[in-house]
Amino acid sequence: MQLDQFQEQARLDRGDKVLLVAPPGSGKTTVLLAKIEYLVEECQVEPDRILVLTFSRSASENMKDRYHRQRKAGGPAFGTIHALAYREIRSRKGGIELISPAQAIFSLHQVRRQYFLSLQESTDCLSDISRERATGHFDPSIPERFRQQVREAYGNYKAERKLRDFDDLEEEFLEMLEDEMYRITMQHRYDWIMVDEFQDLNRVQLRILKILSKDCHLFCVGDEDQCIYAFRGSDTAAMVNFAREFDGGQILYLQYNYRSSATIVRHANQVIACNQARYPKVIDNFRQDESSIRIRSFSSDSASTRFLISHLYKLGSRRTAALIFRTNSELEETAHQLLREKLRFSCQDHPPNRYDRRLLRNLIDFLTYSQNAISCKVMFFRLLATLPLHLSPEVITRCVNSERWSEQDLLNDQIFDLTPDQRQGLDRLFKGFRKLRTMEPGTAIRYILYVMGYSQWIRRMAQGTGAILQDLIREAEDFAAEAACFGSVPDFLEFIRTWDGIMSEKGAGERILLSTMHGVKGMEFDEVLLVNAVEGSIPHEKSMDDLEAERRLFYVAITRAMHDLTILVPASRQGRAVEPSRFLKELGLPIEDESPVTAKNQVGGIIRMIKQKIRL
């Protein structure tokens, strides 16, 4: 690829501390790889004297793969700051075990029971801990006593099991760099350090970078307009004040957006120009073609979803499209609707799986066993523990370990030592399973709840965990209502299996991708559909105190589009009236009303026209 004049200037620059400001679609990765090749081939820098740091492991792997497609052997060290810290700590201190997401959630189990926290609320608590460590700031609306309980529960769990998280790695690596001999060794290990997505560094990572780059060249690439990870501690300050952070640092600019049409670049520039904490840079469109940006208003969120479904059915076979949402919950709801319509898609972000709850998994197991009793021995005995059959754990263990466990064996064989009442209860259970096979799925779930006795286990679960019984029953009833929309139990189970697969695979390669604004960064698509562009969502109701950060998210979302951009604006969400996002005015485009024309709104339009004439 031939470089433009701005890319070539960056490739050849050999300044001591340099920041390259790279807007969306400007070819920053191409420039980084071209610069590495220039240093190795023309400046005779040894590849192992170059360190390339990226924000994510996927970005690191992508850059490494692209480099090795051009050069078969050798190469610089590619990785994240987390990976660098992990490698250095392990080389000096031995083995490291990182805490898993499931372990992190489990560490808060006592706090969850005390405050009735949902899985999502627990995940948010862990994010708050990480943000506080990265930034030194916390949400003042959260009581200090609660924060302290969360910190102690999480910290104690890690300490007892000698586990570390990513924040621990960075902080421990920073402590290691306080040792003078080790610090000097690290400072002389590399001649060049290159950093991608510089705007995403938190304050600890920035301190590490300053120490490591003291005696070598530093070349950073970033864009303060795409700094969208404030919840992880990222801050535009280091970007905007680069020359002060790195004494005498030099600023270079890439100017052309090669990705998007002239239309998209022009209107995106209008939006981001409203931010103050940014460089006053020029962003030109390389492409001269105009394309479509449409802002479409609908009467409700359900009408908006119906349009999405219809539109995606018409999507060309070679076209890629991204449905972009502000939150995971919005993504999940739309994903559920698309799957019901048998549309194929993948997810870049994965909200908590709505079916991955013990209460619902048991119900799914009941339905599964009713359809295929022969191959589900372990499942069957697990379900026995949720029913009021009064079988002791010892009896269940004997049953599980026995090679004979058919319906006839359990009811007649004396080795299981069942009482007459227990045999009678099992007989009713087997008859119940036979009835389930012929029921519609919604009816089957209510039969499990109220006839087979699963609701009694729900009651025990509420008493043992401190959960609210009515909420658990409502969750089961909602599940039954959802199941009632399917024609048969096998159809419903197949739907759940497909959903589980989508929720467990990241970006599985379908032409249609669903993502949050945060997850879609660095990607590009033929078409982008931005969903729910209304106040309270974009900008989010919890982030009104940082509108510049919300505007950057909006900017990142719309600049993923190469050709067409459609922005969906429902007039109501979940039955509540909402206003169009304030950022739509900054785009400078009209909103097209897609609501069906009825006599009522025709009259309303006439009345509005008369009022306007009276005012005139």
Side-chain angles (χ1 to χ4, degrees):
M1 175 181 175
Q2 185 174 357
L3 303 182
D4 66 39
Q5 66 186 85
F6 305 101
Q7 294 172 330
E8 182 68 8
Q9 179 187 7
R11 182 181 82 95
L12 299 177
D13 190 273
R14 299 191 63 185
D16 187 39
K17 302 290 185 287
V18 177
L19 170 65
L20 177 64
V21 180
S26 59
K28 65 181 178 63
T29 304
T30 297
V31 172
L32 272 171
L33 293 172
K35 189 171 188 70
I36 293 170
E37 185 177 8
Y38 165 72
L39 293 173
V40 173
E41 296 289 339
E42 300 183 40
C43 303
Q44 304 304 307
V45 177
E46 293 294 328
D48 61 2
R49 302 283 298 173
I50 301 174
L51 173 65
V52 184
L53 297 174
T54 63
F55 182 67
S56 68
R57 184 170 63 179
S58 59
S60 172
E61 291 298 324
N62 176 59
M63 197 177 299
K64 184 178 180 179
D65 290 344
R66 287 180 60 176
Y67 177 83
H68 286 296
R69 277 189 228 130
Q70 300 169 5
R71 294 174 55 87
K72 300 210 174 197
F78 292 92
T80 63
I81 293 181
H82 294 139
L84 174 65
Y86 179 90
R87 186 171 65 246
E88 290 300 313
I89 295 169
R90 189 176 59 179
S91 67
R92 286 172 64 89
K93 299 183 179 182
I96 297 175
E97 186 176 355
L98 294 177
I99 189 170
S100 70
Q103 288 174 312
I105 291 292
F106 183 76
S107 72
L108 303 183
H109 68 280
Q110 290 184 337
V111 178
R112 291 183 67 189
R113 289 179 61 180
Q114 181 179 350
Y115 292 97
F116 311 118
L117 299 180
S118 67
L119 180 62
Q120 185 58 54
E121 288 168 334
S122 301
T123 302
D124 292 342
C125 286
L126 295 168
S127 298
D128 289 338
I129 292 174
S130 180
R131 179 167 55 250
E132 184 175 343
R133 292 172 68 181
T135 65
H137 302 295
F138 55 83
D139 185 346
S141 65
I142 301 175
E144 172 59 30
R145 180 172 173 273
F146 174 74
R147 282 205 315 274
Q148 185 65 25
Q149 283 180 272
V150 172
R151 282 194 298 259
E152 286 181 0
Y154 182 59
N156 291 341
Y157 184 90
K158 287 190 299 175
E160 290 166 4
R161 293 159 181 79
K162 296 182 179 178
L163 300 172
R164 295 177 175 91
D165 60 21
F166 286 159
D167 295 321
D168 294 324
L169 295 180
E170 292 176 354
E171 292 169 1
E172 195 168 342
F173 184 39
L174 190 57
E175 289 176 5
M176 287 167 54
L177 290 170
E178 293 176 0
D179 180 273
E180 184 177 6
M181 292 301 296
Y182 175 71
R183 181 173 66 251
I184 292 173
T185 300
M186 288 297 297
Q187 288 171 337
H188 288 85
R189 183 176 295 180
Y190 303 105
D191 294 327
W192 282 83
I193 296 178
M194 299 186 173
V195 182
D196 190 21
E197 304 290 9
F198 177 74
Q199 78 279 350
D200 292 330
L201 297 185
N202 63 40
R203 62 174 188 164
V204 176
Q205 294 168 336
L206 186 62
R207 287 171 62 191
I208 290 172
L209 186 62
K210 285 182 177 180
I211 293 171
L212 294 180
S213 64
K214 181 177 180 294
D215 296 318
C216 71
H217 294 277
L218 176 67
F219 184 81
C220 302
V221 181
D223 181 12
E224 75 283 4
D225 292 335
Q226 298 182 75
C227 180
I228 61 173
Y229 294 110
F231 65 95
R232 295 179 186 169
S234 303
D235 192 348
T236 58
M239 276 282 304
V240 177
N241 302 312
F242 184 83
R244 189 172 66 202
E245 295 281 354
F246 297 88
D247 190 26
Q250 178 186 358
I251 313 292
L252 300 177
Y253 296 88
L254 296 183
Q255 185 166 320
Y256 291 110
N257 179 322
Y258 288 89
R259 172 189 300 149
S260 304
S261 69
T263 313
I264 293 170
V265 173
R266 183 168 61 251
H267 289 281
N269 285 348
Q270 289 179 205
V271 173
I272 201 61
C274 298
N275 272 7
Q276 300 299 314
R278 65 188 299 265
Y279 289 109
K281 52 185 177 285
V282 175
I283 307 173
D284 286 332
N285 48 285
F286 180 81
R287 290 170 50 186
Q288 299 303 308
D289 58 306
E290 301 289 335
S291 68
S292 166
I293 301 180
R294 301 186 68 181
I295 306 175
R296 311 182 76 151
S297 173
F298 299 88
S299 59
S300 65
D301 46 2
S302 58
S304 174
T305 302
R306 286 195 297 273
F307 164 80
L308 270 180
I309 292 168
S310 173
H311 184 80
L312 293 175
Y313 270 127
K314 300 172 187 174
L315 190 68
S317 60
R318 296 182 180 225
R319 242 174 120 75
T320 58
L323 277 60
I324 303 180
F325 306 82
R326 177 62 177 86
T327 65
N328 268 321
S329 59
E330 294 171 282
L331 183 156
E332 188 212 33
E333 193 55 44
T334 300
H336 206 261
Q337 294 293 327
L338 298 187
L339 188 58
R340 288 284 309 278
E341 296 293 331
K342 301 189 183 308
L343 280 162
R344 296 178 62 86
F345 62 91
S346 53
C347 291
Q348 179 68 12
D349 304 272
H350 293 119
N353 189 338
R354 62 167 63 189
Y355 304 119
D356 203 10
R357 301 178 181 126
R358 188 178 177 189
L359 185 155
L360 299 187
R361 282 296 165 190
N362 285 342
L363 289 170
I364 293 169
D365 286 346
F366 272 107
L367 296 177
T368 302
Y369 181 81
S370 74
Q371 302 300 305
N372 185 16
I374 296 176
S375 62
C376 300
K377 175 181 179 181
V378 175
M379 180 185 295
F380 172 72
F381 288 111
R382 186 170 64 242
L383 294 176
L384 284 184
T386 70
L387 295 173
L389 297 175
H390 310 296
L391 297 178
S392 68
E394 293 79 12
V395 170
I396 292 179
T397 300
R398 282 203 306 273
C399 295
V400 170
N401 294 332
S402 172
E403 293 182 2
R404 302 168 58 188
W405 70 284
S406 69
E407 177 178 339
Q408 179 127 6
D409 291 331
L410 290 175
L411 292 177
N412 300 323
D413 201 319
Q414 298 302 314
I415 68 167
F416 299 117
D417 193 25
L418 301 181
T419 67
D421 286 344
Q422 289 171 338
R423 282 197 177 89
Q424 188 178 10
L426 276 175
D427 186 46
R428 285 197 303 270
L429 174 64
F430 287 124
K431 289 178 180 176
F433 275 121
R434 285 195 289 273
K435 287 184 179 180
L436 287 178
R437 291 172 196 167
T438 61
M439 290 181 179
E440 295 180 349
T443 305
I445 290 172
R446 292 192 173 93
Y447 186 85
I448 295 165
L449 283 169
Y450 304 116
V451 179
M452 298 178 74
Y454 182 63
S455 60
Q456 294 185 37
W457 180 85
I458 295 178
R459 184 180 299 276
R460 294 200 306 272
M461 178 185 176
Q463 292 170 346
T465 62
I468 299 172
L469 176 61
Q470 290 83 350
D471 289 346
L472 298 180
I473 294 295
R474 188 182 304 115
E475 186 176 344
E477 283 286 355
D478 289 345
F479 187 60
E482 179 184 330
C485 299
F486 292 81
S488 69
V489 169
D491 287 345
F492 184 49
L493 292 175
E494 179 59 30
F495 176 85
I496 292 174
R497 279 192 292 271
T498 305
W499 177 266
D500 287 343
I502 291 172
M503 289 297 107
S504 62
E505 295 178 7
K506 186 170 184 177
E510 298 291 347
R511 291 181 303 109
I512 301 170
L513 183 78
L514 275 61
S515 177
T516 63
M517 290 174 154
H518 290 99
V520 82
K521 188 168 175 287
M523 306 177 78
E524 60 184 30
F525 306 88
D526 293 319
E527 180 176 1
V528 162
L529 296 110
L530 183 58
V531 184
N532 293 332
V534 296
E535 291 289 302
S537 180
I538 309 172
H540 196 272
E541 59 189 357
K542 294 183 178 179
S543 302
M544 292 297 185
D545 58 341
D546 194 354
L547 287 175
E548 293 213 352
E550 291 294 295
R551 186 178 287 108
R552 289 194 293 269
L553 267 175
F554 182 74
Y555 174 71
V556 165
I558 63 179
T559 53
R560 301 309 96 193
M562 292 189 288
H563 306 301
D564 297 310
L565 170 64
T566 302
I567 301 175
L568 309 184
V569 188
S572 67
R573 290 190 60 206
Q574 299 177 341
R576 182 173 60 88
V578 288
E579 294 293 324
S581 169
R582 65 191 71 193
F583 301 143
L584 300 182
K585 293 180 181 179
E586 298 167 1
L587 273 175
L589 292 168
I591 298 178
E592 306 171 27
D593 190 355
E594 302 290 334
S595 301
V597 177
T598 64
K600 182 178 178 180
N601 57 36
Q602 282 181 332
V603 171
I606 294 172
I607 292 174
R608 284 192 296 274
M609 181 180 68
I610 293 172
K611 287 182 177 179
Q612 288 174 352
K613 288 186 175 182
I614 291 174
R615 283 196 293 269
L616 291 172

